Amino acid sequence: MALLQRGSCGTMNPPGKYDESSDIHIRSGISEEEKAAVKKRKELVLTTLRNLGLNANKAPVVSVLVSGGGLRAAIACQGILSELSNVGLLDLVTYLAGVSGSTWCMSSLYTKSDGWQNLQKAENELRRRLQKDKWNFSHALTGLCMAAKRDDYSLTDFWSYTLVYFLTKELLDANLSGSRSQSETGTVPYPIFATVDHYFKRKGKEKTLKSWFEFTPHEAGYPKLDLSTPGAYVSTTLYGSKFKAGKLIQQEAERDLSYLRGLFGSALADRNSILTSIRDFLLKFIHQDSTEKQNLLGLYPKEIEGKGLVLEGDILKTIMEELVTLVYIFTTGGDYLPVLESLQFKMAGYKDFSQSQRMITKMLQHSRQTSSDQQRQSILDLLTEVLKHDAKEERNIRPFIQFIWKTFKCLLFWTWGTTNNFLYKYGDIKDKDLTDRENLYLMDAGLDINCAYPLVLPPVRDTDIILSFDFSEGDPFLTIKDTAKYCKACNIPFPPVDEDKLDQDAEAPSDFYIFEREKGPVVMHFPLFNKVNCGSPEVIKKRRETFATFRFDVYSDDEVRQLLEDAKANVRNNKERILGKICTLARAAS
């Protein structure tokens, strides 16, 4: 990392309670492991400040927040970190907190032993990978069939091995806990990955402390249940394992970062666009042949009356194509009855599907008189009969069929982020919203606030300066406005925000905004596309269109370099402002 040249220029919580019998942590404040890592990081920050000629005794806590925004955010995040390192500011950063697409960049860096040692090298590798590497059908299919063996399989698994892998051209089989040693040295910012609990979003309770769920190398959990109730955590290695009443019942393998990437970045577009993407990938898996698929499907020829010897895979391929269409049309609100008729016609003559044909006849007769929930259940029953009719036991289901069937089921019920609830029936917590649910359903935090402000603000962590790098596609100030409302609802100190002024600037923002007050953190906000690095409102608009969040084609290397440069300019052009404010707060604290 580059060194700045000389002259360039919270309150600790009591030790937490650790329940050794259950591996569950109920406490206020951060873990002892995080405290130790942050202490070492602060020592490095203080050394850096003193090397600048600043006679400081205490280092301010600087949190870099990188927002969501799909692949655009992942590339821009790399640019921000590369330039922070290049101008010597990275060694002043205590925390790095990410949402959605930015976590794709973060996870890649934190799992590589040399990821932080040469960020220019990491940037070059990112460019090479996006141009040269390909989405591998066999790797994706094998991973999905393995994932489908788990009880907590959801659309997050599917998303991880399809769209996220397709966009990033990278599968990470490493675990988040594997980055502990790197984080504990204090040589890199301590990472925080954000999600939210879908239950509270669905119940309209997202502007509450307990809706946020974080992942760090050491723990996963709710940082704060409310202002008067401690947070609740489980070791990152045990996230997804089964607990009941505080006891570990069944330990599951730690989820790898490929899965977590899908969890962190699961909301890149509207529901119908996501459904269309999932449909297209499902059809790709069904259409494309490979040795791996044949082995997973268990293909063999069958004698069919009137049709001769027919390869079973050909029959299933035809039927599964129709089932994809059936589920897609139902979930998008279309008329699916013609698909049922087509499906019944294609099943004619196959004894294995006789029961399915009777079920379709009944559905065609009664669907108009049944509710949407009843229709959904009837479709699920049909899918189960078609795909699992020849399996006497669950363990006998062929891997490919199990993967397809579970994906269909998750589509019908729109199931994302399923995991075992480590607080299930936990007696020390009285909030039934948290303890009565056997499963949690976590989702992209960008659906609440597209930046992880709640995870670096009190009462979770005490940050002195927030550097907010906003990569959002739309309003570049929405994260600031949403956070101000969140803080007001939760009684958390936050600088005043003039929404009218920000709305006037939204189409053509500047590259730097500062929000501060006597109490609370200083917030420095940097919109990705702005008048300084783009030059005009027309160019800003063109950039936003070019780098749309749900863009589904490959970025050219020129486009990647442009995006990296736009992000770097926001750091380079504001280096002195950032450094000046950090030095001011360091002097005041000393």
Side-chain angles (χ1 to χ4, degrees):
M1 298 177 187
L3 293 176
L4 284 164
Q5 297 302 308
R6 193 174 185 79
S8 297
C9 274
T11 305
M12 295 296 290
N13 291 295
K17 169 185 166 187
Y18 175 53
D19 183 348
E20 294 182 351
S21 66
S22 67
D23 300 302
I24 294 174
H25 311 242
I26 306 295
R27 60 150 200 283
S28 295
I30 60 179
S31 69
E32 295 300 317
E33 294 86 355
E34 181 178 335
K35 287 178 184 177
V38 169
K39 181 176 182 293
K40 288 186 178 180
R41 185 65 181 173
K42 286 181 177 179
E43 291 171 357
L44 175 63
V45 173
L46 194 57
T47 298
T48 304
L49 288 171
R50 288 171 177 169
N51 287 339
L52 297 173
L54 195 68
N55 186 22
N57 298 319
K58 182 181 179 182
V61 175
V62 180
S63 294
V64 167
L65 304 187
V66 279
S67 82
L71 187 59
R72 175 186 66 249
I75 296 170
C77 179
Q78 178 67 61
I80 293 295
L81 297 175
S82 293
E83 194 64 15
L84 285 172
S85 175
N86 186 50
V87 302
L89 291 174
L90 191 58
D91 281 343
L92 298 175
V93 176
T94 310
Y95 285 107
L96 175 61
V99 167
S100 198
S102 285
T103 67
W104 301 347
C105 169
M106 289 172 59
S107 57
S108 187
L109 289 174
Y110 279 99
T111 54
K112 292 179 172 62
S113 59
D114 62 346
W116 289 92
Q117 294 173 12
N118 188 336
L119 286 167
Q120 183 59 54
K121 177 182 176 182
E123 180 183 316
N124 293 339
E125 166 58 20
L126 171 66
R127 288 176 55 193
R128 184 209 63 77
R129 188 173 71 245
L130 292 179
Q131 300 307 309
K132 302 295 184 182
D133 290 355
K134 305 293 182 183
W135 180 81
N136 185 288
F137 171 86
S138 295
H139 290 168
L141 180 58
T142 300
L144 281 167
C145 288
M146 288 293 293
K149 294 179 180 180
R150 295 180 61 117
D151 292 337
D152 56 0
Y153 177 86
S154 71
L155 292 178
T156 303
D157 294 276
F158 189 87
W159 197 247
S160 302
Y161 282 98
T162 54
L163 193 95
V164 176
Y165 176 25
F166 181 87
L167 292 176
T168 63
K169 306 296 188 292
E170 183 179 43
L171 285 176
L172 294 177
D173 58 3
N175 303 122
L176 182 56
S177 64
S179 64
R180 286 177 179 175
S181 58
Q182 185 175 202
S183 302
E184 288 167 355
T185 63
T187 57
V188 299
Y190 193 81
I192 307 167
F193 300 82
T195 63
V196 291
D197 188 329
H198 179 59
Y199 174 86
F200 298 111
K201 177 76 175 175
R202 184 166 44 87
K203 293 289 185 179
K205 300 179 182 180
E206 64 269 24
K207 296 298 185 289
T208 63
L209 289 165
K210 64 185 177 184
S211 64
W212 285 75
F213 192 102
E214 72 176 26
F215 290 79
T216 72
H218 294 98
E219 293 182 324
Y222 299 93
K224 196 73 175 175
L225 303 183
D226 59 50
L227 286 172
S228 60
T229 307
Y233 301 86
V234 67
S235 170
T236 303
T237 59
L238 294 176
Y239 168 77
S241 293
K242 290 185 179 180
F243 288 84
K244 185 174 182 180
K247 304 296 182 183
L248 178 61
I249 296 174
Q250 180 179 331
Q251 184 167 348
E252 300 286 353
E254 182 182 353
R255 285 291 204 168
D256 63 23
L257 275 161
S258 286
Y259 170 82
L260 292 181
R261 280 178 156 189
L263 179 63
F264 302 150
S266 55
L268 305 184
D270 60 90
R271 177 170 172 150
N272 280 355
S273 296
I274 292 173
L275 278 166
T276 300
S277 177
I278 293 174
R279 177 201 63 187
D280 292 346
F281 270 111
L282 272 173
L283 290 173
K284 187 186 295 288
F285 285 121
I286 291 168
H287 288 156
Q288 190 163 333
D289 290 323
S290 70
T291 302
E292 288 83 2
K293 178 178 172 181
Q294 291 176 7
N295 292 335
L296 292 164
L297 189 54
L299 299 177
Y300 59 91
K302 298 186 76 172
E303 185 73 31
I304 304 297
E305 185 176 351
K307 299 180 184 288
L309 195 64
V310 178
L311 192 63
E312 185 187 19
D314 292 341
I315 305 167
L316 282 175
K317 182 183 292 188
T318 301
I319 298 301
M320 284 192 288
E321 288 171 358
E322 290 291 329
L323 293 178
V324 171
T325 304
L326 171 65
V327 173
Y328 175 76
I329 291 179
F330 175 79
T331 52
T332 53
D335 181 7
Y336 63 90
L337 295 186
V339 184
L340 285 177
E341 292 172 345
S342 174
L343 187 59
Q344 190 175 47
F345 175 78
K346 291 177 179 178
M347 288 179 174
Y350 297 103
K351 292 182 179 179
D352 283 348
F353 297 125
S354 57
Q355 176 60 24
S356 300
Q357 292 179 71
R358 287 191 288 271
M359 293 174 71
I360 292 173
T361 298
K362 185 176 180 181
M363 292 169 69
L364 290 169
Q365 291 172 345
H366 302 292
S367 64
R368 303 294 188 189
Q369 291 79 45
T370 56
S371 68
S372 177
D373 286 344
Q374 289 171 323
Q375 292 174 45
R376 181 180 290 104
Q377 186 59 50
S378 294
I379 292 173
L380 178 61
D381 292 342
L382 175 63
L383 292 168
T384 304
E385 172 60 29
V386 172
L387 296 174
K388 301 171 71 175
H389 66 274
D390 60 347
K392 303 300 181 185
E393 298 179 19
E394 190 76 19
R395 60 185 175 85
N396 292 333
I397 300 173
R398 287 165 285 179
F400 183 82
I401 298 298
Q402 183 181 52
F403 146 60
I404 293 293
W405 177 78
K406 282 195 171 184
T407 304
F408 281 151
K409 183 178 179 180
C410 291
L411 274 170
L412 285 172
F413 292 91
W414 204 236
T415 306
W416 292 80
T418 308
T419 190
N420 293 303
N421 181 9
F422 67 97
L423 296 177
Y424 180 56
K425 301 300 181 183
Y426 191 75
D428 289 355
I429 295 176
K430 305 305 179 186
D431 190 334
K432 299 300 183 184
D433 283 344
L434 292 163
T435 60
D436 278 1
R437 294 180 288 150
E438 192 168 354
N439 290 316
L440 301 178
Y441 299 93
L442 303 181
M443 60 194 295
D444 190 323
L447 289 170
D448 190 356
I449 301 174
N450 198 32
C451 207
Y453 283 96
L455 302 184
V456 299
L457 291 169
V460 183
R461 294 174 179 89
D462 291 318
T463 297
D464 299 302
I465 303 179
I466 293 174
L467 305 181
S468 167
F469 293 96
D470 192 280
F471 312 136
S472 302
E473 181 175 350
D475 183 352
F477 305 111
L478 183 60
T479 56
I480 285 280
K481 293 184 283 190
D482 282 348
T483 302
K485 293 170 185 174
Y486 166 88
C487 289
K488 182 178 181 180
C490 298
N491 196 28
I492 297 170
F494 195 75
V497 173
D498 185 342
E499 289 201 15
D500 291 337
K501 173 64 168 63
L502 296 181
D503 288 342
Q504 292 173 11
D505 285 6
E507 292 302 315
S510 182
D511 65 338
F512 171 81
Y513 294 82
I514 187 167
F515 306 86
E516 53 188 329
R517 61 186 295 181
E518 186 175 344
K519 185 179 181 182
V522 175
V523 178
M524 307 177 88
H525 187 70
F526 311 89
L528 174 59
F529 302 128
N530 54 71
K531 292 185 292 186
V532 177
N533 63 11
C534 292
S536 70
E538 291 75 23
V539 175
I540 293 173
K541 182 180 179 182
K542 180 65 175 176
R543 289 274 210 284
R544 290 173 176 172
E545 293 172 350
T546 299
F547 299 107
T549 301
F550 203 64
R551 175 176 160 177
F552 200 55
D553 59 346
V554 177
Y555 283 17
S556 71
D557 190 52
D558 285 344
E559 290 174 326
V560 174
R561 286 192 293 112
Q562 179 66 67
L563 197 47
L564 287 166
E565 175 53 32
D566 286 344
K568 290 179 179 182
N570 286 345
V571 175
R572 186 169 57 247
N573 295 337
N574 293 291
K575 167 191 166 184
E576 296 303 329
R577 286 168 167 162
I578 296 170
L579 181 59
K581 182 56 69 173
I582 293 174
C583 290
T584 297
L585 291 186
R587 291 189 192 99
S590 302

